[in-house]
Amino acid sequence: MNQITQNISDIHERYSQYNFTLVAVSKTKPVSDLQSAYDGGQRHFGENKAQELVEKWETLPKDIKWHMIGHLQRNKVKYIAPFVHLIHGIDSERLLNQVNKEGQKAGRKIDCLLQVHIAKEETKFGFSEDEINSLFNEGRISNLEYVNVKGLMGMATNTDDTSIVASEFSSLKSLFDNFKNEFNLDTLSMGMSGDFPLALQSGSNMIRVGSLIFGKRNYAI
């Protein structure tokens, strides 16, 4: 077992009491690293750039489930629409409508998560809680034929104060619970390498982990 596979196994074993999907955040990592993880059984991979996602999709086995986890520009949706497994970062209604349009062109319904702005940092993207309430309650999501909203995603404030992070995760879990039954939501994506244990405790069922699997990434890329 190589180190990458060992790291993945360690996460599953250590947090086996939780039911979650582990998305291996593979952005900037070479195809050889992804292949190592794949050979060890990993199937969910996350990228934050559409071009890199397409390039890796073309190269690697076709049963990989690709997650678009970064900020997605509307003009890039067309490149990933034919194959993407899940788009995590739907942060505006315009982007949601664009995904619906490209889903129609690709002839498939695209699974998405609505990104909610729960952090203190202004640099993070996402809908406000009021905007999420409007989207669901006014039927604007139900009218989109080629989009399947599976749930919500959020990123907590980058801070060592775990009480702040726990509060933000808790608020997102409450919002998710408000709509999950009526709108058949099943995915709550929250938690990354630095805070996913707290996210799991708060009710997350999908975590996005990069550096703890592949090591520190190259920020120069």
Side-chain angles (χ1 to χ4, degrees), residues 62-78:
K62 290 298 180 279
D63 61 334
I64 287 177
K65 299 181 186 301
W66 292 103
H67 296 245
M68 180 67 197
I69 62 172
H71 178 60
L72 179 60
Q73 295 174 306
R74 294 194 308 280
N75 63 354
K76 300 293 178 62
V77 176
K78 60 187 175 185

Side-chain angles (χ1 to χ4, degrees), residues 1 4 19 46 66 78 83-84 92 94-95 97 110 116 127 134 155 157 169 188 200:
M1 182 181 293
I4 290 174
N19 181 24
W66 292 103
K78 60 187 175 185
F83 68 89
V84 68
S92 72
R94 292 179 71 189
L95 177 57
N97 290 330
I110 300 175
V116 186
F127 292 99
S134 296
M155 291 184 287
T157 301
F169 284 154
L188 180 57
L200 290 173

Side-chain angles (χ1 to χ4, degrees), residues 10 48 77 101 120 122 126 135 140 150 163 185 205 207:
D10 287 347
N48 72 335
V77 176
K101 183 187 299 184
K120 307 297 182 188
E122 292 298 324
L135 278 173
R140 302 205 299 279
K150 299 279 290 179
S163 65
L185 307 183
N205 60 15
I207 58 175

Side-chain angles (χ1 to χ4, degrees), residues 159-191:
T159 175
D160 292 330
D161 189 336
T162 56
S163 65
I164 292 175
V165 176
S167 175
E168 292 168 353
F169 284 154
S170 177
S171 69
L172 185 55
K173 176 62 162 60
S174 295
L175 187 62
F176 174 78
D177 288 343
N178 286 344
F179 296 106
K180 68 176 182 180
N181 291 329
E182 184 178 355
F183 293 93
N184 298 314
L185 307 183
D186 60 18
T187 304
L188 180 57
S189 174
M190 57 185 192

Side-chain angles (χ1 to χ4, degrees), residues 21-182:
T21 298
L22 173 61
V23 179
V25 178
S26 48
K27 55 189 179 182
T28 79
K29 294 300 176 181
V31 166
S32 58
D33 283 1
L34 279 73
Q35 187 67 55
S36 292
Y38 177 89
D39 291 342
Q42 179 67 24
R43 291 296 181 270
H44 293 264
F45 291 87
E47 295 286 331
N48 72 335
K49 292 183 178 178
Q51 181 178 351
E52 188 173 357
L53 183 58
V54 171
E55 290 171 356
K56 289 176 176 175
W57 169 74
E58 291 174 340
T59 304
L60 287 156
K62 290 298 180 279
D63 61 334
I64 287 177
K65 299 181 186 301
W66 292 103
H67 296 245
M68 180 67 197
I69 62 172
H71 178 60
L72 179 60
Q73 295 174 306
R74 294 194 308 280
N75 63 354
K76 300 293 178 62
V77 176
K78 60 187 175 185
Y79 299 115
I80 65 173
F83 68 89
V84 68
H85 175 70
L86 183 64
I87 299 176
H88 286 232
I90 300 294
D91 55 17
S92 72
E93 195 164 358
R94 292 179 71 189
L95 177 57
L96 191 64
N97 290 330
Q98 186 66 35
V99 171
N100 186 64
K101 183 187 299 184
E102 296 300 338
Q104 182 176 19
K105 291 178 183 177
R108 64 187 293 255
K109 201 164 188 172
I110 300 175
D111 288 345
C112 298
L113 303 177
L114 302 180
Q115 182 173 351
V116 186
H117 190 282
I118 59 174
K120 307 297 182 188
E121 296 126 331
E122 292 298 324
T123 53
K124 287 190 168 70
F125 298 94
F127 292 99
S128 69
E129 185 172 331
D130 286 344
E131 288 171 330
I132 292 291
N133 285 321
S134 296
L135 278 173
F136 281 115
N137 291 327
E138 295 175 10
R140 302 205 299 279
I141 288 176
S142 306
N143 294 332
L144 300 176
E145 187 177 350
Y146 293 92
V147 166
N148 182 27
V149 174
K150 299 279 290 179
L152 304 178
M153 183 274 269
M155 291 184 287
T157 301
N158 184 15
T159 175
D160 292 330
D161 189 336
T162 56
S163 65
I164 292 175
V165 176
S167 175
E168 292 168 353
F169 284 154
S170 177
S171 69
L172 185 55
K173 176 62 162 60
S174 295
L175 187 62
F176 174 78
D177 288 343
N178 286 344
F179 296 106
K180 68 176 182 180
N181 291 329
E182 184 178 355

Side-chain angles (χ1 to χ4, degrees), residues 1 4-24 37 40-44 196 200 205-207 209 212-213:
M1 182 181 293
I4 290 174
T5 302
Q6 183 64 57
N7 293 340
I8 292 171
S9 177
D10 287 347
I11 292 171
H12 283 295
E13 185 175 340
R14 186 171 182 182
Y15 300 97
S16 59
Q17 70 268 40
Y18 300 105
N19 181 24
F20 65 93
T21 298
L22 173 61
V23 179
Q42 179 67 24
R43 291 296 181 270
H44 293 264
F196 77 83
L200 290 173
N205 60 15
M206 180 173 285
I207 58 175
V209 181
L212 290 183
I213 294 174

